[in-house]
Amino acid sequence: MSEIRVGLIGYGTAGAFFHAPLVAATPGLRLAAVVTRDAGRAAEVAARYGAEAVPGVDELWPRCDLVVVASPNRTHVALATEALGQGLPVVIDKPAARTAEEARGLVRLAEERGLMLTVFQNRRWDGDFRTVRRLVAEGALGEVRRFESRFERWRPVPKGGWREAGGPEDVAGLLYDLGSHLVDQALLLLGPVREVYCESDVRRAGVAADDDTFVALTHESGARSHLWVSSVAALSGPRLRVLGSAGAYVKYGMDVQEERLRAGRSPGEPGFGVEDDGRWGLLGTDAEQRPVPTEPGSYLDFYVGVEAALREGTPPPVDPAGSIDTLAVIEAARRSATERTVVSLP
């Protein structure tokens, strides 16, 4: 293929601010078609990307070589299943499914058909998380004993929409949304989980899905992860605090890539993922600490990996089997919050 034609299903927040600009900036990929019935969005994808707007997936299939599913969560499994049935490789935005069993079925179908399937866990390429992985690999923290990770916001007035107002059938709420990233990072950093404890609440009027959730994981290694997602945090805690036997790393503030994508900047421009030194985290102890340069964030690496997987047969940038593990933890967390108990994983 001289170029890989990409078909994007959905042009909301995920499609417009993440997938479309990342696809457009990846050599070898071309955003060819977008499923949207909104006239304003159709005009935008034509003007910005030269992509064709189509009203439904039946019109999308013959126009693409790769499908990106960035539609509402409840539709992920059905659309990915249909795309694989059309003989097309698939990128699914997180969460891949509602349950681990649903995700397992998608992985099985992709394997049977010999098609690439991967999940958009872009926060693996956050600069702060890349920095933590480097520090752990270098032994700068010693043995990691606790991983604390937060996505906290102050949104006392709900924005509306299915993510806040939806029920279980919509795969709504922060645990599935931002929690998918935090659990994925914890598993990637510290390995399999044996116990899950969760406290989950709905704090704001007019909201049906969780908007303030805490998850505690006990990993098989004995390390623990403490994870927070909240829309009602008037003052945010550290984005990351990693405690080890030799020292700690503490980092405030979100990765810079999302704010730059929302501002319309191209992820292919020089320095796109580079963070100012005033936002760097600290490494050390109470007695002695020093700022650590944040690794450049690199969401573009995800789609570079997708392009390589399709052309060269390399492994996809995110093994979809990892999404099964992430969803198993999320399911256990939901059960823990409902039953007010610690849930053991096999």
Side-chain angles (χ1 to χ4, degrees), residues 289-303:
Q289 54 196 245
R290 62 178 176 85
V292 175
T294 304
E295 291 287 314
S298 56
Y299 292 166
L300 198 60
D301 284 357
F302 176 85
Y303 273 107

Side-chain angles (χ1 to χ4, degrees), residues 232-307:
V232 292
L235 288 173
S236 298
R239 166 69 190 91
L240 293 169
R241 191 170 79 130
V242 189
L243 306 180
S245 60
Y249 173 73
V250 180
K251 173 75 169 65
Y252 282 83
M254 296 292 290
D255 177 87
V256 298
Q257 294 174 94
E258 180 174 349
E259 65 185 65
R260 291 173 181 174
L261 286 169
R262 287 179 177 271
R265 293 177 58 180
S266 169
E269 69 182 58
F272 174 79
V274 176
E275 185 179 72
D276 296 337
D277 57 10
R279 300 172 67 164
W280 290 352
L282 295 176
L283 172 68
T285 67
D286 282 340
E288 183 179 2
Q289 54 196 245
R290 62 178 176 85
V292 175
T294 304
E295 291 287 314
S298 56
Y299 292 166
L300 198 60
D301 284 357
F302 176 85
Y303 273 107
V304 170
V306 168
E307 196 268 350

Side-chain angles (χ1 to χ4, degrees), residues 291-342:
V292 175
T294 304
E295 291 287 314
S298 56
Y299 292 166
L300 198 60
D301 284 357
F302 176 85
Y303 273 107
V304 170
V306 168
E307 196 268 350
L310 294 177
R311 289 192 189 275
E312 304 166 18
T314 57
V318 174
D319 183 346
S323 295
I324 298 172
D325 298 331
T326 295
L327 285 164
V329 170
I330 289 175
E331 286 185 85
R334 287 169 54 83
R335 178 184 161 197
S336 171
T338 300
E339 299 179 3
R340 299 185 180 184
T341 187
V342 173

